[in-house]
Amino acid sequence: MSAKAAKWIFYLGTLISLVLFLGLTVDTHRQIKTLTHTDKLSEQVVAGKRVWQKYNCNDCHTILGFGSYYAPDMTKVYWRRGSEGIKAVVRTPERFTTWRKMPHLGLTDLELQDLVAFLQWVSEIDTQDWPPQDQKLRAAAGRAVALGVSPGATLFQEKGCFACHRLYGTGGMLGPELTHVGSRRTYETIERILTDPRSVNPQATMPTPPLSHEERDELGRFLAGMK
Amino acid sequence: MVLAYPSQRVAYPYFVVALFLFILQVIVGIWLASSYAFTMPQGLVDILPFSTTRAIHTNLLVLWLLLGFMGSTYFMVPEETERDLFSPTLAYVQLALLVGTGVAALTGFVFGWTKGRPLLEIPHPLDYLVVGGALIFLLNIGMTMLRARRWTVTQGSLLGGLVFLAVMYLFNLPFYANLSIDWYYWWWVIHLWVEGAWELVAAALTAWILMKITGVPRETVEKWLYVELGLFLFTGIAGTGHHYYWLGAPKYWLWVGGFFSALEPVPIILMLVDAWHYIQNRRGQLNGRLVFTFATGMAILHLVGAGFWGFAHTLPPINYYTHGSQVTVAHGHIAFFGAYVLLNLMFFYYAMPKLKGLASYDERRGTLAFWWLSLAMLGMTLAFSVAGVLQTYVERVMGLGYMTAQAQMRFWFTILAVLGLTLLAGVVLTVVDLLTLRPAPPAKASA
């Protein structure tokens, strides 16, 4: 190869790649508005992102698959735990961890609200169906929750029940699987558990879920119907 | 007198600090592996969480590699331009500034002072000091080259790489409100560093060392340097797209990123072939057997780590399952080690004896250190890879949950902690050897 040809490879190779890359960057900026629905990128979401950075969450958790690999990915955590579930874990991590610990970060209630808003916004980014494990969850939970067919099912997601309980094999391992709970427990028993978990089983470690009277009724009817 | 130009001496403190930080980095790394393998008590985690030590581990890596590059540049540029440095004093000021900033940043991390972006945690206003340090460096090198007016392709590649490196760091400075855009530009720093700017610096330093130890003519080396750089940038720039598959960017990145990044091993293969070719066609005795060992080891492990381990998970259908798992960690460790750790050590072994006024030195400890380090790192890479495949399968394919997968991987992190201790012994051996180089034993010299 001549020295001249070598120079041509350098200049052409660099230029082609650079032009393509910058061109697609411009186009990405155009499309990302829809893909990340920037219309929902509220001030609260941005404040939540600052909270996310302030506590260096990303050096244990991945988000969009980036960051550190010490703790679960946060891209779709809103699907998995809902807003109350996320808050519960951040407030009292020792209740949700066994042999790998999460620190007490000491977020204020306002910071926690913002963080949840941020994570909810992130969960709606179009990630080409990544990550696979949460797509499985969504498919399973979708039968009960995602379509919003029942307000009780939405509450199950929103109030963070998935943090400890499983439906269709997905969810947390701390509490019992609830896919067929309706064939084991009556509506009345379930409502008693939701009012005070220890009223049925004095050894129960389940916290009393933050539910209004109407919400308890909706959630109870949803669970009693899971047969 | 072994040093061609007195101002080359400024490289020495850069190397010493870099080596010291390398030891620290590996110690912190062992702590990280132990945090995966064993249960750390809640009280300790509350005070010193994994996130803090992880930030320290990665920042130490970046800091020591960059200080090594800078020291190497200060050593090479006077010989290459045939002129002393513009200002040795400025080089010392720059070192003090960067080390001071580094110490402040690492201490700050412990107290929760962080920007909260992985690998780029250094907060405002410390990141501006980093920029300041980089500007002093570029000024010093640029002025030396300008005054010498003896332009070579090797110099061009080096200066180009360093300017590219500094410019890309600027994308780290703003706050990005949109998380997807944040990560889009995060990769402009990280990817375009390691698969762009740093490759230019590495190619220049390697080409220069190969010219020195093999005596192959400059025209040949620099001609192939052009081709290598062209291929690095052709594959590397658009190859950034392999990080854009799942972050909320358009779908065409799957094709662009997949195609260009799949070609990324090509320039690395060419580099290996070139190095081999030069060594076969060397003029006279190889000038420094150990440097040659490091150069060959670097070329091979660069290909293994960046090339093979990178290719293994760069195609979208595979990356869908491996993205953000320990597979990435396996690739990260062997790629940084093969491409940049060995590059720095190669340069240190070339320059250190000259800085100490030795015409030749006893290479036995250094040879042992090379094999020790490389085998320990290969072992670690395999352990990370097994953990990564387990995670991919249990967590992502079977969907059994994050902690279920981590429980399966725990054993391999115990192995990793042990391998980390082994690596540490090799690092200490390397550092001790480099700092206490002895003249070659007479019997060996006459043989």
Side-chain angles (χ1 to χ4, degrees):
Chain A
M1 184 186 297
S2 70
K4 204 175 165 189
K7 277 188 195 180
W8 270 107
I9 290 182
F10 171 73
Y11 287 116
L12 266 183
T14 309
L15 199 68
I16 291 172
S17 198
L18 189 66
V19 168
L20 177 71
F21 185 64
L22 292 179
L24 292 183
T25 295
V26 172
D27 183 70
T28 298
H29 268 285
R30 237 174 18 214
Q31 293 204 39
I32 219 162
K33 289 189 185 112
T34 343
L35 290 164
T36 67
H37 44 85
T38 45
D39 51 315
K40 292 187 194 163
L41 187 61
S42 64
E43 270 175 40
Q44 194 187 19
V45 171
V46 177
K49 182 168 183 288
R50 288 189 190 275
V51 173
W52 169 258
Q53 290 185 216
K54 175 179 171 189
Y55 292 95
N56 206 17
C57 309
N58 220 166
D59 261 330
C60 283
H61 293 277
T62 45
I63 195 160
L64 299 172
F66 306 124
S68 183
Y69 317 95
Y70 192 64
D73 187 81
M74 292 288 107
T75 314
K76 307 290 180 191
V77 68
Y78 191 82
W79 294 0
R80 292 199 303 267
R81 303 223 157 195
S83 66
E84 293 309 313
I86 293 171
K87 286 180 191 167
V89 174
V90 178
R91 281 201 190 106
T92 50
E94 74 283 353
R95 275 192 12 227
F96 298 89
T97 52
T98 51
W99 53 276
R100 188 175 295 168
K101 308 294 184 190
M102 170 170 169
H104 291 93
L105 295 168
L107 270 70
T108 64
D109 285 345
L110 182 67
E111 284 179 327
L112 211 41
Q113 291 285 3
D114 294 343
L115 182 66
V116 168
F118 169 67
L119 291 171
Q120 183 180 5
W121 175 80
V122 170
S123 75
E124 288 166 30
I125 295 175
D126 179 356
T127 54
Q128 321 274 2
D129 292 340
W130 194 88
Q133 63 271 25
D134 292 326
Q135 292 301 325
K136 282 179 197 295
L137 170 87
R138 174 147 255 199
R143 274 170 245 168
V145 180
L147 297 173
V149 282
S150 134
T154 313
L155 282 169
F156 190 85
Q157 157 86 347
E158 283 285 307
K159 298 293 175 182
C161 308
F162 270 122
C164 297
H165 296 282
R166 292 174 305 292
L167 288 183
Y168 302 106
T170 41
M173 304 298 282
L174 289 179
E177 155 91 53
L178 297 181
T179 314
H180 304 295
V181 65
S183 49
R184 297 195 304 270
R185 305 274 199 199
T186 60
Y187 166 80
E188 287 72 25
T189 318
I190 292 171
E191 213 187 8
R192 270 169 60 209
I193 296 177
L194 290 175
T195 317
D196 175 13
R198 289 187 197 192
S199 62
V200 175
N201 171 10
Q203 262 88 52
T205 53
M206 174 173 153
T208 308
L211 297 168
S212 69
H213 185 75
E214 291 75 24
E215 285 174 335
R216 191 155 51 238
D217 176 53
E218 289 289 1
L219 190 54
R221 278 194 286 141
F222 163 66
L223 287 171
M226 297 291 292
K227 298 204 181 189
Chain B
M1 188 62 204
V2 184
L3 272 188
Y5 297 87
S7 62
Q8 284 177 295
R9 199 169 298 284
V10 302
Y12 188 75
Y14 277 84
F15 294 168
V16 174
V17 176
L19 287 170
F20 173 69
L21 297 179
F22 184 21
I23 297 181
L24 272 183
Q25 188 217 343
V26 174
I27 293 175
V28 179
I30 296 167
W31 173 258
L32 296 178
S34 310
S35 306
Y36 272 94
F38 312 113
T39 295
M40 298 291 169
Q42 182 77 48
L44 179 64
V45 173
D46 286 343
I47 302 166
L48 188 69
F50 180 90
S51 51
T52 302
T53 36
R54 200 257 188 178
I56 294 175
H57 179 65
T58 50
N59 278 265
L60 281 170
L61 167 79
V62 176
L63 187 59
W64 91 256
L65 289 179
L66 286 178
L67 289 177
F69 287 164
M70 287 168 170
S72 303
T73 304
Y74 279 136
F75 188 90
M76 170 184 145
V77 164
E79 275 189 50
E80 187 67 5
T81 56
E82 297 176 354
R83 195 196 155 95
D84 263 312
L85 287 176
F86 170 67
S87 165
T89 318
L90 217 48
Y92 291 121
V93 171
Q94 177 208 335
L95 179 65
L97 176 69
L98 289 176
V99 172
T101 309
V103 170
L106 296 174
T107 318
F109 292 164
V110 177
F111 295 98
W113 191 30
T114 166
K115 196 188 271 181
R117 303 177 76 215
L119 276 68
L120 301 172
E121 291 93 345
I122 300 182
H124 298 312
L126 291 180
D127 50 359
Y128 295 114
L129 293 181
V130 175
V131 175
L135 285 177
I136 297 178
F137 176 63
L138 291 178
L139 172 80
N140 212 348
I141 296 299
M143 285 304 287
T144 310
M145 289 181 179
L146 261 177
R147 290 192 166 188
R149 295 189 183 284
R150 186 183 167 275
W151 295 106
T152 63
V153 182
T154 315
Q155 264 181 59
S157 165
L158 183 65
L159 186 63
L162 294 169
V163 172
F164 187 9
L165 192 166
V167 169
M168 285 302 124
Y169 186 76
L170 300 180
F171 287 94
N172 168 43
L173 298 180
F175 171 81
Y176 299 93
N178 185 321
L179 184 77
S180 296
I181 291 176
D182 190 340
W183 283 103
Y184 192 92
Y185 287 106
W186 188 88
W187 286 110
W188 281 39
V189 187
I190 302 301
H191 175 96
L192 289 175
W193 267 7
V194 297
E195 275 142 286
W198 291 23
E199 291 281 13
L200 298 197
V201 175
L205 295 175
T206 310
W208 189 74
I209 291 276
L210 286 174
M211 276 190 270
K212 290 283 174 183
I213 64 169
T214 63
V216 168
R218 179 176 286 273
E219 301 79 65
T220 317
V221 174
E222 293 196 333
K223 180 179 81 183
W224 288 107
L225 185 58
Y226 259 123
V227 181
E228 283 166 17
L229 298 183
L231 292 175
F232 269 127
L233 292 172
F234 178 71
T235 59
I237 296 176
T240 314
H242 69 169
H243 301 292
Y244 295 165
Y245 298 160
W246 326 114
L247 60 61
K251 209 162 194 155
Y252 50 68
W253 284 113
L254 301 184
W255 293 97
V256 176
F259 176 77
F260 282 88
S261 67
L263 293 175
E264 278 183 18
V266 174
I268 311 176
I269 293 172
L270 181 65
M271 231 178 167
L272 178 61
V273 172
D274 282 352
W276 183 247
H277 187 74
Y278 300 150
I279 286 155
Q280 292 299 302
N281 296 295
R282 63 181 178 268
R283 302 208 168 151
Q285 193 85 27
L286 253 187
N287 183 10
R289 181 95 207 154
L290 180 56
V291 177
F292 156 71
T293 306
F294 269 97
T296 320
M298 174 189 73
I300 291 172
L301 289 184
H302 189 173
L303 180 61
V304 170
F308 298 159
W309 250 260
F311 182 80
H313 59 133
T314 199
L315 296 176
I318 296 171
N319 192 264
Y320 180 68
Y321 290 100
T322 60
H323 177 54
S325 73
Q326 294 293 329
V327 172
T328 317
V329 183
H331 163 61
H333 278 78
I334 189 68
F336 267 105
F337 180 82
Y340 300 120
V341 173
L342 288 180
L343 170 78
N344 266 311
L345 295 182
M346 169 187 77
F347 206 99
F348 295 174
Y349 268 106
Y350 178 79
M352 272 298 204
K354 296 179 177 55
L355 288 164
K356 287 172 177 288
L358 295 172
S360 67
Y361 59 100
D362 188 349
E363 298 184 339
R364 285 172 300 182
R365 276 191 314 196
T367 310
L368 176 66
F370 166 79
W371 287 103
W372 193 312
L373 289 176
S374 302
L375 290 175
M377 185 46 90
L378 274 172
M380 285 172 58
T381 306
L382 292 177
F384 276 127
S385 302
V386 175
V389 170
L390 275 172
Q391 183 178 12
T392 301
Y393 195 72
V394 176
E395 185 191 0
R396 282 94 189 280
V397 177
M398 297 178 74
L400 290 182
Y402 180 85
M403 284 312 289
T404 312
Q406 294 294 315
Q408 307 293 318
M409 294 147 68
R410 244 178 135 171
F411 169 75
W412 294 97
F413 281 101
T414 317
I415 301 283
L416 270 160
V418 175
L419 285 169
L421 281 170
T422 317
L423 182 78
L424 178 64
V427 176
V428 172
L429 177 67
T430 312
V431 174
V432 169
D433 184 51
L434 274 167
L435 296 180
T436 62
L437 288 175
R438 296 163 303 192
K444 209 184 162 197
S446 62

